[in-house]
mmCIF file of all heavy atoms in Angstrom:
data_model
loop_
_atom_site.group_PDB
_atom_site.id
_atom_site.type_symbol
_atom_site.label_atom_id
_atom_site.label_comp_id
_atom_site.label_asym_id
_atom_site.label_seq_id
_atom_site.Cartn_x
_atom_site.Cartn_y
_atom_site.Cartn_z
ATOM 1 N N ASP B 245 2.249 -19.181 12.154
ATOM 2 C CA ASP B 245 2.764 -20.058 11.094
ATOM 3 C C ASP B 245 1.620 -20.845 10.459
ATOM 4 O O ASP B 245 1.547 -20.990 9.240
ATOM 5 C CB ASP B 245 3.798 -21.035 11.671
ATOM 6 C CG ASP B 245 5.009 -20.312 12.233
ATOM 7 O OD1 ASP B 245 5.331 -19.214 11.723
ATOM 8 O OD2 ASP B 245 5.627 -20.837 13.172
ATOM 9 N N TRP B 246 0.730 -21.355 11.311
ATOM 10 C CA TRP B 246 -0.396 -22.149 10.812
ATOM 11 C C TRP B 246 -1.330 -21.290 9.959
ATOM 12 O O TRP B 246 -1.868 -21.749 8.950
ATOM 13 C CB TRP B 246 -1.149 -22.767 12.002
ATOM 14 C CG TRP B 246 -2.429 -23.436 11.631
ATOM 15 C CD1 TRP B 246 -2.577 -24.672 11.060
ATOM 16 C CD2 TRP B 246 -3.754 -22.904 11.801
ATOM 17 N NE1 TRP B 246 -3.918 -24.932 10.867
ATOM 18 C CE2 TRP B 246 -4.654 -23.877 11.309
ATOM 19 C CE3 TRP B 246 -4.255 -21.708 12.326
ATOM 20 C CZ2 TRP B 246 -6.044 -23.676 11.326
ATOM 21 C CZ3 TRP B 246 -5.634 -21.516 12.343
ATOM 22 C CH2 TRP B 246 -6.504 -22.493 11.845
ATOM 23 N N GLN B 247 -1.502 -20.015 10.332
ATOM 24 C CA GLN B 247 -2.364 -19.128 9.538
ATOM 25 C C GLN B 247 -1.806 -18.955 8.123
ATOM 26 O O GLN B 247 -2.558 -18.802 7.163
ATOM 27 C CB GLN B 247 -2.492 -17.747 10.200
ATOM 28 C CG GLN B 247 -3.361 -17.714 11.454
ATOM 29 C CD GLN B 247 -4.845 -17.698 11.150
ATOM 30 O OE1 GLN B 247 -5.293 -18.295 10.183
ATOM 31 N NE2 GLN B 247 -5.614 -17.026 11.982
ATOM 32 N N ILE B 248 -0.475 -18.929 8.001
ATOM 33 C CA ILE B 248 0.121 -18.869 6.665
ATOM 34 C C ILE B 248 -0.072 -20.209 5.959
ATOM 35 O O ILE B 248 -0.550 -20.275 4.823
ATOM 36 C CB ILE B 248 1.632 -18.527 6.753
ATOM 37 C CG1 ILE B 248 1.840 -17.112 7.324
ATOM 38 C CG2 ILE B 248 2.293 -18.680 5.390
ATOM 39 C CD1 ILE B 248 1.579 -15.975 6.363
ATOM 40 N N GLU B 249 0.288 -21.289 6.638
ATOM 41 C CA GLU B 249 0.276 -22.613 6.005
ATOM 42 C C GLU B 249 -1.107 -22.989 5.487
ATOM 43 O O GLU B 249 -1.268 -23.448 4.370
ATOM 44 C CB GLU B 249 0.767 -23.689 6.991
ATOM 45 C CG GLU B 249 2.269 -23.658 7.208
ATOM 46 C CD GLU B 249 3.047 -23.658 5.896
ATOM 47 O OE1 GLU B 249 2.711 -24.464 5.008
ATOM 48 O OE2 GLU B 249 3.969 -22.833 5.763
ATOM 49 N N ARG B 250 -2.133 -22.750 6.331
ATOM 50 C CA ARG B 250 -3.464 -23.186 5.933
ATOM 51 C C ARG B 250 -3.965 -22.376 4.735
ATOM 52 O O ARG B 250 -4.835 -22.825 3.996
ATOM 53 C CB ARG B 250 -4.452 -23.076 7.101
ATOM 54 C CG ARG B 250 -4.900 -21.651 7.410
ATOM 55 C CD ARG B 250 -5.786 -21.572 8.642
ATOM 56 N NE ARG B 250 -6.280 -20.219 8.868
ATOM 57 C CZ ARG B 250 -7.519 -19.833 8.579
ATOM 58 N NH1 ARG B 250 -8.395 -20.682 8.076
ATOM 59 N NH2 ARG B 250 -7.897 -18.589 8.801
ATOM 60 N N SER B 251 -3.401 -21.186 4.529
ATOM 61 C CA SER B 251 -3.891 -20.304 3.468
ATOM 62 C C SER B 251 -3.528 -20.803 2.076
ATOM 63 O O SER B 251 -4.173 -20.430 1.102
ATOM 64 C CB SER B 251 -3.352 -18.882 3.671
ATOM 65 O OG SER B 251 -3.756 -18.400 4.942
ATOM 66 N N PHE B 252 -2.512 -21.659 1.986
ATOM 67 C CA PHE B 252 -2.152 -22.198 0.669
ATOM 68 C C PHE B 252 -3.325 -22.958 0.048
ATOM 69 O O PHE B 252 -3.466 -23.011 -1.164
ATOM 70 C CB PHE B 252 -0.919 -23.105 0.770
ATOM 71 C CG PHE B 252 0.378 -22.334 0.861
ATOM 72 C CD1 PHE B 252 0.967 -22.054 2.081
ATOM 73 C CD2 PHE B 252 0.992 -21.872 -0.297
ATOM 74 C CE1 PHE B 252 2.149 -21.329 2.163
ATOM 75 C CE2 PHE B 252 2.177 -21.145 -0.228
ATOM 76 C CZ PHE B 252 2.751 -20.874 0.999
ATOM 77 N N ALA B 253 -4.191 -23.518 0.914
ATOM 78 C CA ALA B 253 -5.342 -24.270 0.399
ATOM 79 C C ALA B 253 -6.443 -23.348 -0.133
ATOM 80 O O ALA B 253 -7.386 -23.805 -0.765
ATOM 81 C CB ALA B 253 -5.901 -25.180 1.500
ATOM 82 N N PHE B 254 -6.334 -22.029 0.125
ATOM 83 C CA PHE B 254 -7.411 -21.101 -0.258
ATOM 84 C C PHE B 254 -7.347 -20.712 -1.736
ATOM 85 O O PHE B 254 -8.263 -20.089 -2.256
ATOM 86 C CB PHE B 254 -7.366 -19.810 0.564
ATOM 87 C CG PHE B 254 -7.645 -19.976 2.027
ATOM 88 C CD1 PHE B 254 -7.785 -21.227 2.605
ATOM 89 C CD2 PHE B 254 -7.790 -18.850 2.838
ATOM 90 C CE1 PHE B 254 -8.033 -21.360 3.966
ATOM 91 C CE2 PHE B 254 -8.045 -18.988 4.196
ATOM 92 C CZ PHE B 254 -8.159 -20.235 4.757
ATOM 93 N N GLY B 255 -6.232 -21.026 -2.395
ATOM 94 C CA GLY B 255 -6.094 -20.658 -3.804
ATOM 95 C C GLY B 255 -6.209 -19.153 -3.996
ATOM 96 O O GLY B 255 -5.693 -18.383 -3.190
ATOM 97 N N GLY B 256 -6.899 -18.760 -5.034
ATOM 98 C CA GLY B 256 -7.023 -17.342 -5.363
ATOM 99 C C GLY B 256 -8.178 -16.660 -4.647
ATOM 100 O O GLY B 256 -8.769 -15.719 -5.192
ATOM 101 N N TYR B 257 -8.477 -17.105 -3.422
ATOM 102 C CA TYR B 257 -9.590 -16.523 -2.647
ATOM 103 C C TYR B 257 -9.410 -15.018 -2.503
ATOM 104 O O TYR B 257 -8.333 -14.530 -2.203
ATOM 105 C CB TYR B 257 -9.649 -17.191 -1.273
ATOM 106 C CG TYR B 257 -10.691 -16.614 -0.351
ATOM 107 C CD1 TYR B 257 -12.049 -16.837 -0.575
ATOM 108 C CD2 TYR B 257 -10.319 -15.845 0.752
ATOM 109 C CE1 TYR B 257 -13.011 -16.303 0.266
ATOM 110 C CE2 TYR B 257 -11.268 -15.305 1.607
ATOM 111 C CZ TYR B 257 -12.610 -15.537 1.363
ATOM 112 O OH TYR B 257 -13.552 -15.006 2.199
ATOM 113 N N ARG B 258 -10.501 -14.272 -2.751
ATOM 114 C CA ARG B 258 -10.468 -12.824 -2.611
ATOM 115 C C ARG B 258 -11.128 -12.448 -1.298
ATOM 116 O O ARG B 258 -12.330 -12.624 -1.128
ATOM 117 C CB ARG B 258 -11.213 -12.185 -3.774
ATOM 118 C CG ARG B 258 -10.479 -12.358 -5.124
ATOM 119 C CD ARG B 258 -11.415 -12.428 -6.318
ATOM 120 N NE ARG B 258 -12.385 -11.352 -6.298
ATOM 121 C CZ ARG B 258 -12.166 -10.129 -6.776
ATOM 122 N NH1 ARG B 258 -10.999 -9.848 -7.312
ATOM 123 N NH2 ARG B 258 -13.091 -9.216 -6.734
ATOM 124 N N PRO B 259 -10.341 -11.918 -0.347
ATOM 125 C CA PRO B 259 -10.918 -11.560 0.954
ATOM 126 C C PRO B 259 -12.107 -10.608 0.783
ATOM 127 O O PRO B 259 -12.156 -9.831 -0.178
ATOM 128 C CB PRO B 259 -9.756 -10.888 1.687
ATOM 129 C CG PRO B 259 -8.534 -11.487 1.079
ATOM 130 C CD PRO B 259 -8.886 -11.673 -0.377
#
Side-chain angles (χ1 to χ4, degrees):
Chain B
D245 297 331
W246 172 78
Q247 287 281 34
I248 295 283
E249 285 309 314
R250 75 185 184 103
S251 302
F252 281 96
F254 294 7
Y257 176 72
R258 291 150 49 85

